[in-house]
Amino acid sequence: MVRAGVLPAEPNGEASQEFFAWLNQNEDQVEDHIPEILRHFLHTRSVTTWWISRSGVPCIPIEGVNGHKLVSYSEATRSSGRVFVNDFPELATAIRQDYRKIKLTVDSHEAVSTPITELLKDAGVRSLRRSCGDPKQVIPTRARPADAWVGDIVSDLKSPMTARALKKQLIKLELPQKYLRNHWQSRLQEITDVKTADELSVRYRIDRLIQTLVSSVFDPTTGILWLRYGSDHSRDQLKDALFSALADRIFTDDAPLYCIPALQHAITIEIDEPETRRTTNAKQTSAAENGSSPGSADLGPSKEPGAAPDAHHDWSPDPSKEVP
């Protein structure tokens, strides 16, 4: 049963080594056993108890041209090697299509609820996103200025007062502070403009230049924050691209994906809600100054008794309100 990938009730290093020894006898069976491999990694008394002391034993699954295979801990963590954690999906797609010398880890499967992405990073397997660094070239298609509301969000975030309040909100949301970059406010200040484009093609260097399509990117050479917003995209998709780009400026490269919705929620509290309150307060103040009640501030001019409401086609006169 161990050789079939089924763990005993109490997993242990010996059973785990036996399983991987069986897999390494025939690489063709690796792809069919990815769920079992990932589950072995998720047991603290399994692979991770021996993969350093026996660093030459292939146990980490990677994508292969002709199917998945295993590589050893020593190969996966070698600084000059070509094994990377697949944490940059867009770039990974380009690598699969154009440059198969880069080896991408298999760290998740639909049959396994928990990915091993962070486990591999913590063990020293290099992050694809971190390794590619800043873009070497950004190539927008049909570029144009971003909508005003996008620029307003970025401008508000660059305010020291809003930035301090944002950090407090992230703490209230119990987001670990280790994921905040040390100089994240300075990184926001580097944004000089926000633009959108129908397509964003970007070139990164990882071993060599690789070009891929992305939804958002910051160009350090121009200070422009680029967001993909084609004719087939909605405002919600533009929001997703914006908050993903802002998260990249604020959070560390190894921050989990839940940091993005956490940031969006915190920004909504610190920017959208205060703005709504300011608007409401302004209307109430104006109404008080004009001698009317706050609730009637937006009702428009008063009408004569019995007069028809504007643009209300179902209205009919009320005889009791007619003035002789």
Side-chain angles (χ1 to χ4, degrees), residues 90 137-144 195-203 211-217 224-233 238 241:
E90 297 93 341
Q137 185 179 11
V138 179
I139 309 169
T141 301
R142 288 184 288 278
R144 54 197 176 276
K195 293 186 177 182
T196 60
D198 286 358
E199 297 285 351
L200 286 173
S201 187
V202 183
R203 288 176 179 167
Q211 186 165 317
T212 187
L213 294 173
V214 298
S215 60
S216 63
V217 66
I224 297 175
L225 185 67
W226 288 99
L227 307 173
R228 180 172 180 251
Y229 189 40
S231 57
D232 59 332
H233 281 60
L238 179 59

Side-chain angles (χ1 to χ4, degrees), residues 306-324:
D310 295 333
H312 189 20
H313 302 294
D314 296 328
W315 176 86
S316 58
D318 183 352
S320 66
K321 293 184 179 180
E322 295 294 332
V323 179

